[in-house]
Amino acid sequence: MRRVLTAAIAALTVTTAGTVTTGAPGQAALPGWGRPAPASATPTPGSAGLGDSYFPDYGNGGYDVGHYDVRLRYEPATDRLTGTTTILAKATQALSRFNLDFLLGVRSVRVNGWPATFKRAGVHELVVTAPRPIAKDQQLTIVVTYAGVPSETLVNGYSGWTRTADGALAVNEPESAWWWFPSNDHPKDKATWDISVSVPTGVEVVSNGVQPRDPVAEAGNRTRWSWRSTKPGATYQAFLAIGQYDIVTDTAPSGQPVINAYSTTLGDREPAARASIERTAEIVDWESGLFGPYPFEAQGGVAGPIDGIGFALETQTRPVYGPGFWRRGANPYVVVHENAHQWFGDSVSVADWSAIWLNEGFASYAEWLWSEEQGEGTAQELFDFTYAGYPADSEFWQVLPGNPGADRVFDDAVYDRGAMALHQLRLAVGDQAFFRILRAWAARHRYGNGTIAQFQALAERISGRNLDGVFTTWLFTAGRPELTGAARTAVAPVQPKSWPRLREAHQLLPH
Ligand SMILES: [Zn+2]
C-alpha cells in the first residue's frame, strides 16, 4: 500500500551498528547434526540480499523459510517488546553463515540447538554464524531471542512500528517485520506463521488468520493471544494490532470464519468503519466470482485507532485500515481494494518490487469493477474521467507503472495509470478472455510470485493475441498514450457517481 522509507533505505551505505558475539564457535560437529557437507560443497556465506532490483539487500540468500513461530511479550505503557522467534528453514546451499533481517536488540541465536555467534551489519542485517557448517538441504531450526522498544528503533528517523495511546500497530510495506521479528524479509520467501503475544489483561491483540486457541490467562494479570496463518505469505503481510478493540466474529456465506476488529478510539467514525468493514464477506464473495476461489483461511478487517496509521494495508486475511477512510462516511471501495489484494499481492506476490503494478493496478481496477457492479459508473466511464483528469503535460504521465522506480513504488501512476492499463487490456482481449486471464493468473501463481512478463505471456496465451502494444504503451512508455478506435475517450466525460469516494480512498492509499 505505501511506504515511507522509499529509496532512502536502498541508497544507504552499509554502516556497522555494533557487534555482539556469543556462543561457542569452532566446535566440532557431533553426530545427529545432520548430513555432513560433501567435500565438493564448500560452505560459503548466504547472500545479504535476494537481489531485488529496487531493494537489493532485502531478504537473504542461502535458505528458505517454511514457518515462523513468533512469541512476544508487549508492554503498552512503555512500548517494550521482548520475544523469541523460532524459524524453521531449509538450507538451499552449503552455508558458512547466513543473514536475517532485523532491527531490535538480539540476546541470543541458536541454530539446531547450538549457540551461534551473531553480529549486525548494514541497516537491518543480522549475520549469524552457526558453530558447525550447514549442508545444502539441511533442515534448520533458528531460535532468536530479543528485546527492544520498536517505536524508538529508527531507520532514517522512521519506525515501521506505530505506537498509539493504547497499544501499537505493526503494519507497513515493504518494511514491517524488521521491528518485531527476525525474518527473510522479501516476498520471494513465503512462509506460514504462528504469532502469540502476552499483554496486560484487558488489552486485545489482533493478527492474521485464525485463533488456534482462546486467549489464555497468564501470571501477573496478563493474557496471551494466539493467531495462526496456515497459508504461505510474505513477511510484510504479517501484522499486529494491539490496543482496545471490539472483536466481532461471524461465519461468511462461504463457511469461512470472519473476524473483524474495531478500535474503541474511533468516536463518531466508528459507525462508518463498521458499515464498510462489515461488508467484507459480501465483497470477498463478489471478488471470488471474478478472480476465483478466495485463497486464505479466514476473512476480516481491522479498523485501526484514531492515532494510528494514515493508510490501509492488505495484511493477509485481514486488512488494516487507518481512520481517515471513514472521515466522510462509509467507503466500501477501500475494502474492495484491500481484499482484491488477497488475490493480487498477497497470494500472488511480486517477485521483484519493481512489479508493484501487479498489486496496485489490479486492486485499483477492482474498485472500478465494484463501481460498475453497483451502478455507480462503469470502468469505461472511470477510465475516461481518470484519463481526462491528468493533462498531457502532467508529471503523472512520466512515471512508468511497470517500473516506477524505488522511490515511486506507491506513486499515483501505479494505481491510476495501472488501472487504466488493465482496462486497455480488457478492451483489447474482450471481457471473457480478460476475466479468464485474471483467474488463471491467481490460480497459476497461488501462494507464489509473479513478474509482469509472465502476466503478459499468460494474457497472450489465453487471448491468442500479441499484446506487446498494450503493455509497452501503458506500462513502460512515458507520456500520455493517444487513444484510438474503440479506446477513444469522450471529449468531456461526466464524473461517475463513485468518483468522490474513490478519490477519498486514493488520497490515502498511496503516499
Ligand atoms: Zn493497494
Side-chain angles (χ1 to χ4, degrees), residues 1 314 337-338 341 359-360 363 415 509:
M1 268 288 348
E314 62 269 24
H337 180 104
E338 302 308 339
H341 275 310
N359 296 10
E360 300 306 343
Y415 293 73
L509 286 174

Side-chain angles (χ1 to χ4, degrees), residues 112-460:
N112 291 11
W114 286 57
T117 58
F118 56 92
K119 65 176 182 179
R120 295 210 165 275
V123 176
H124 53 83
E125 300 290 330
L126 182 71
V127 183
V128 176
T129 304
R132 297 170 295 181
I134 296 166
K136 184 176 187 297
D137 296 330
Q138 187 173 330
Q139 297 295 329
L140 301 174
T141 303
I142 305 157
V143 181
V144 183
T145 63
Y146 50 93
V149 179
S151 64
E152 294 175 7
T153 303
L154 305 180
V155 177
N156 282 355
Y158 175 77
S159 174
W161 175 280
T162 304
R163 189 181 179 191
T164 63
D166 63 3
L169 291 168
V171 178
N172 203 50
E173 178 187 9
E175 308 89 358
S176 176
W178 297 354
W179 285 271
W180 57 291
F181 67 100
S183 74
N184 193 16
D185 199 19
H186 191 279
K188 281 210 291 200
D189 190 355
K190 294 194 170 190
T192 56
W193 58 82
D194 275 287
I195 291 169
S196 85
V197 188
S198 169
V199 290
T201 295
V203 175
E204 283 78 36
V205 179
V206 185
S207 184
N208 314 86
V210 296
Q211 291 177 282
R213 66 173 73 87
D214 290 335
V216 176
E218 291 188 336
N221 196 29
R222 299 183 69 85
T223 301
R224 179 168 291 279
W225 294 72
S226 299
W227 294 89
R228 171 169 290 171
S229 288
T230 63
K231 308 295 185 196
T235 39
Y236 82 93
Q237 303 294 348
F239 83 98
L240 283 179
I242 302 173
Q244 300 297 313
Y245 287 90
D246 178 29
I247 298 174
V248 181
T249 62
D250 202 350
T251 303
S254 64
Q256 285 202 320
V258 180
I259 304 174
N260 296 328
Y262 300 92
S263 170
T264 61
T265 67
L266 287 169
D268 63 5
R269 296 189 192 189
E270 188 184 319
R274 289 181 189 265
S276 308
I277 294 173
E278 290 298 320
R279 296 187 73 178
T280 296
E282 172 197 354
I283 286 167
V284 165
D285 193 46
W286 170 76
E287 290 178 332
S288 301
L290 293 176
F291 309 143
Y294 180 73
F296 298 116
E297 69 275 21
Q299 304 174 14
V302 178
I306 198 77
D307 60 343
I309 54 175
F311 57 96
L313 188 68
E314 62 269 24
T315 38
Q316 191 161 299
T317 69
R318 194 159 294 118
V320 180
Y321 305 91
F325 294 100
W326 328 123
R327 65 197 187 283
R328 296 197 186 93
N331 195 335
Y333 284 94
V334 68
V335 179
V336 168
H337 180 104
E338 302 308 339
N339 280 291
H341 275 310
Q342 301 302 315
W343 285 263
F344 307 112
D346 292 23
S347 173
V348 183
S349 300
V350 294
D352 189 281
W353 282 108
S354 62
I356 188 69
W357 170 73
L358 293 170
N359 296 10
E360 300 306 343
F362 288 47
S364 298
Y365 195 65
E367 297 176 63
W368 291 12
L369 295 171
W370 176 259
S371 172
E372 193 164 294
E373 166 77 11
Q374 300 294 306
E376 296 186 334
T378 65
Q380 182 63 49
E381 288 165 346
L382 284 159
F383 175 92
D384 290 344
F385 202 72
T386 305
Y387 183 91
Y390 292 107
D393 60 355
S394 167
E395 186 63 23
F396 170 87
W397 297 106
Q398 297 308 310
V399 178
L400 309 182
N403 190 9
D407 57 345
R408 291 180 180 268
V409 167
F410 299 114
D411 194 277
D412 283 344
V414 177
Y415 293 73
D416 290 351
R417 188 171 171 181
M420 283 189 258
L422 277 173
H423 191 67
Q424 290 300 316
L425 173 65
R426 181 181 173 185
L427 292 179
V429 302
D431 276 14
Q432 199 181 0
F434 178 73
F435 289 103
R436 273 183 62 207
I437 291 164
L438 293 187
R439 283 191 292 274
W441 180 246
R444 189 168 299 227
H445 296 272
R446 182 172 302 163
Y447 311 133
N449 303 87
T451 67
I452 295 175
Q454 287 172 332
F455 180 74
Q456 181 180 338
L458 180 71
E460 291 182 341

